[in-house]
Amino acid sequence: MDPTDLTTLRAAFAGRLHTDPAEMAPFLTDWRRKWTGQALAVAQPDTTEAVAAVLRWCHANRVPVVPQGGNTGLSGGATPDASGQALVLSLTRLKRIRSVDPVNQTIEAEAGVTLQQLQDAAREAGRLFPLSLAAQGSCTIGGNLATNAGGVQVLRYGNARELCLGLEVVTPDGQVWNGLRSLRKDNTGYDLRDLYIGSEGTLGVITAAVLKLFPLPAAQLAAFVAVPSPQAATELLQLAQARLGAGLTAFELMGDACIALVEKHVPAARLPLADRSPWYVLIELSDTQDEAHANGALEGLLEVAIEQGCATDAAVSTSLAQFRALWALREDISESQGAEGKTIKHDIALPISRIAGFVEAITAAVTRSFPGLRSICFGHLGDGNLHYNFSPAIGQPEAEFVALEGPLNRLVHDAVSAAGGSISAEHGLGVLRRDEAARYKSPIELQLMRAIKAALDPLNLMNPGKVLP
Ligand code: FAD
């Protein structure tokens, strides 16, 4: 059959099929506008069975498939290549919340449900779905699982993998695996669920998932804390973990350059402290009792931290508006950096015990090799995850800055690898980090990954060219 004869595909499934270039365009460029590709067509099936029918057609016709959720991924995984031979399979029309079980604390949802919709459905049932990230209005639960997304509460609740109990997956030849178990214990052989989570669409298509829910907190407070150094921030983290226990739901580090950028680009943004500090930490406390209890715990922590010298000043939220304003200082960093022009970004993970030393050493190395570059360093310190980004030196021509990406990546990632870290903490490999990851992984690890890919997708139809070189 001629794969370009799409009439047979049109007849094969329930849902939309876009072939018009203008209709396809939004599916062919990624959120950062870093990658643009071409596609045979964009299919938007309505049901799991329709997804299976699309994959059976692709399998029969040897047509590669690029699964896509909200298209907010930051590594180019959801964008087709330039050949125009692949089908983009958009899951956004699979958007049913299938069931909520408040007693089992679980929710079953289809892959195209947005993270925001999932959080709202959980809250309506009096429960919390804790995965939380700035793209939550657009990213889908299928995409969150396919990239094993992290976000701001991993410290307390874990990343997408830890929040998932079961999956429904369509295999590359169009069979449906119903692994929608809602069990917290299930040791019955190889964990297929964990293979698909984080596989970035290269092994199969996630069509639905069973996810864990938690009790809603009775009160939430945020503290914006001035700290003299990343080492002091690490000491504060230990203190906060010891004193707040499971109530500590986020612990974010930010350099002063980050906050200065937010103040420059977001009119309402204000540093909530009298004096500037080289570094700041945002602490979120979720309390099971009430606000007074939360306030007492947070004030107690900050008093000891200031006494011990790991904090120098702090502002604690006293209203929901203040809570949001403090969080906005952290969440608006990426967009504010984008408003400054081109960026070079690194999403790295390190053992928490090595972060302070790493930041000191890498800052010195970058200053030596690339004088004038502005480093914009922030991240989820509680998870050992930093976004170690750069903006051009003042007045530096864009082309000159962009040309530094390769050497800068090499410098940063070599240092990360030497410190026992990872070059992609939460954004996946996609095409952005595919070749670099192959450089840092051992031959045996790559061999095992290739064996899994060959076993589950022998025709290499699922998102070819992503994750593995
Ligand atoms: P897409 O971008 O559509 O796809 C991502 C990958 O998953 C692709 O490889 C695609 O092929 C595959 N895929 C998508 N759906 C499926 C499916 N149903 N089955 C199989 N494969 C599939 N990420 C974080 O981890 N933490 C953050 O804090 C964070 N903050 C962000 C903030 C902003 C402003 C933006 C734009 C992005 C951020 N991200 C963050 C990245 C992004 O939101 C996440 O990676 C998200 O999980 C992607 O979901 P998506 O539905 O948009 O997936």
Side-chain angles (χ1 to χ4, degrees):
M1 197 189 305
D2 175 5
T4 54
D5 175 12
L6 294 170
T7 49
T8 52
L9 174 59
R10 176 58 289 177
F13 76 101
R16 294 187 185 154
L17 185 69
H18 305 286
T19 50
D20 178 68
E23 282 179 12
M24 291 204 291
F27 300 89
L28 304 182
T29 297
D30 76 299
W31 185 85
R32 284 168 74 186
R33 308 202 163 277
K34 202 174 162 80
W35 297 275
T36 295
Q38 299 298 324
L40 191 61
V42 176
Q44 289 194 292
D46 289 340
T47 62
T48 299
E49 196 31 62
V51 172
V54 171
L55 288 193
R56 281 194 294 274
W57 183 90
C58 290
H59 191 257
N61 291 285
R62 305 295 190 259
V63 170
V65 180
V66 180
Q68 190 178 93
N71 200 14
T72 68
L74 300 174
S75 303
T79 309
D81 67 14
S83 71
Q85 290 172 357
L87 180 87
V88 172
L89 176 61
S90 164
L91 281 308
T92 51
R93 286 172 62 87
L94 266 72
K95 52 184 182 197
R96 273 191 321 130
I97 303 282
R98 291 184 181 167
S99 61
V100 184
D101 182 344
V103 176
N104 196 42
Q105 308 247 54
T106 49
I107 186 166
E108 183 178 321
E110 293 183 344
V113 171
T114 65
L115 178 52
Q116 181 75 62
Q117 286 165 342
L118 198 89
Q119 291 170 354
D120 292 347
R123 196 169 299 112
E124 269 169 39
R127 296 290 181 271
L128 171 76
F129 182 65
L131 189 67
S132 171
L133 46 103
Q136 63 199 28
S138 309
C139 66
T140 63
I141 201 63
N144 297 150
L145 290 164
T147 58
N148 188 22
V152 290
Q153 298 198 328
V154 173
L155 169 67
R156 163 70 179 89
Y157 299 102
N159 48 21
R161 182 186 303 284
E162 285 157 279
L163 295 170
C164 179
L165 294 176
L167 284 184
E168 180 185 80
V169 171
V170 180
T171 62
D173 59 355
Q175 300 184 68
V176 180
W177 170 53
N178 182 338
L180 289 168
R181 297 172 190 132
S182 53
L183 307 173
R184 286 169 177 80
K185 290 190 167 182
D186 175 23
N187 285 351
T188 53
Y190 301 139
D191 200 329
L192 300 177
R193 175 197 63 200
D194 273 355
L195 270 184
Y196 289 109
I197 295 174
S199 67
E200 299 181 55
T202 61
L203 301 179
V205 178
I206 297 168
T207 47
V210 177
L211 299 149
K212 286 185 201 167
L213 301 178
F214 296 82
L216 279 167
Q220 278 192 308
L221 292 181
F224 195 88
V225 190
V227 296
S229 63
Q231 177 56 36
T234 310
E235 287 161 21
L236 178 60
L237 171 63
Q238 290 167 76
L239 203 58
Q241 284 172 320
R243 294 184 67 106
L244 305 179
L248 179 64
T249 42
F251 194 97
E252 302 283 308
L253 177 72
M254 297 150 277
D256 186 46
C258 305
I259 300 305
L261 273 188
V262 176
E263 288 174 294
K264 180 173 168 191
H265 292 287
V266 181
R270 296 274 173 282
L271 180 72
L273 305 171
D275 297 312
R276 301 206 82 85
S277 167
W279 295 89
Y280 308 97
V281 161
L282 182 76
I283 297 176
E284 182 187 84
L285 170 64
S286 301
D287 197 281
T288 50
Q289 290 187 33
D290 55 32
E291 194 156 323
H293 184 260
N295 206 46
L298 205 47
E299 293 288 355
L301 165 72
L302 294 169
E303 213 175 282
V304 175
I306 290 173
E307 232 172 70
Q308 293 187 1
C310 57
T312 53
D313 195 7
V316 176
S317 63
T318 54
S319 65
L320 186 60
Q322 277 183 14
F323 177 84
R324 289 191 176 137
L326 294 184
W327 261 114
L329 287 171
R330 161 66 184 85
E331 282 174 342
D332 289 340
I333 296 172
S334 275
E335 269 192 61
S336 302
Q337 193 190 2
E340 283 286 291
K342 289 276 178 199
T343 58
I344 298 176
K345 298 190 168 184
H346 304 102
D347 165 39
I348 57 181
L350 292 152
I352 294 168
S353 50
R354 302 188 74 160
I355 286 202
F358 173 87
V359 171
E360 199 179 316
I362 196 71
T363 305
V366 170
T367 309
R368 256 193 323 273
S369 303
F370 307 96
L373 280 195
R374 287 178 290 160
S375 93
I376 306 299
C377 178
F378 60 99
H380 318 294
L381 182 66
D383 316 329
N385 175 194
L386 286 184
H387 299 304
Y388 193 71
N389 299 347
F390 293 92
S391 287
I394 302 292
Q396 184 174 34
E398 191 177 287
E400 193 185 292
F401 173 70
V402 171
L404 297 181
E405 181 157 9
L408 200 51
N409 287 350
R410 185 67 182 269
L411 182 78
V412 173
H413 291 157
D414 278 358
V416 167
S417 176
S422 166
I423 67 162
S424 182
E426 57 177 11
H427 295 164
L429 297 178
V431 285
L432 177 71
R433 297 287 178 232
R434 177 195 62 197
D435 298 341
E436 282 179 277
R439 188 182 144 69
Y440 296 109
K441 285 185 182 291
S442 66
I444 179 66
E445 189 170 354
L446 287 170
Q447 186 188 318
L448 292 169
M449 284 173 68
R450 288 204 179 93
I452 291 167
K453 170 76 174 165
L456 297 188
D457 180 24
L459 299 182
N460 191 27
L461 293 177
M462 293 305 310
N463 220 357
K466 313 291 168 58
V467 179
L468 281 165

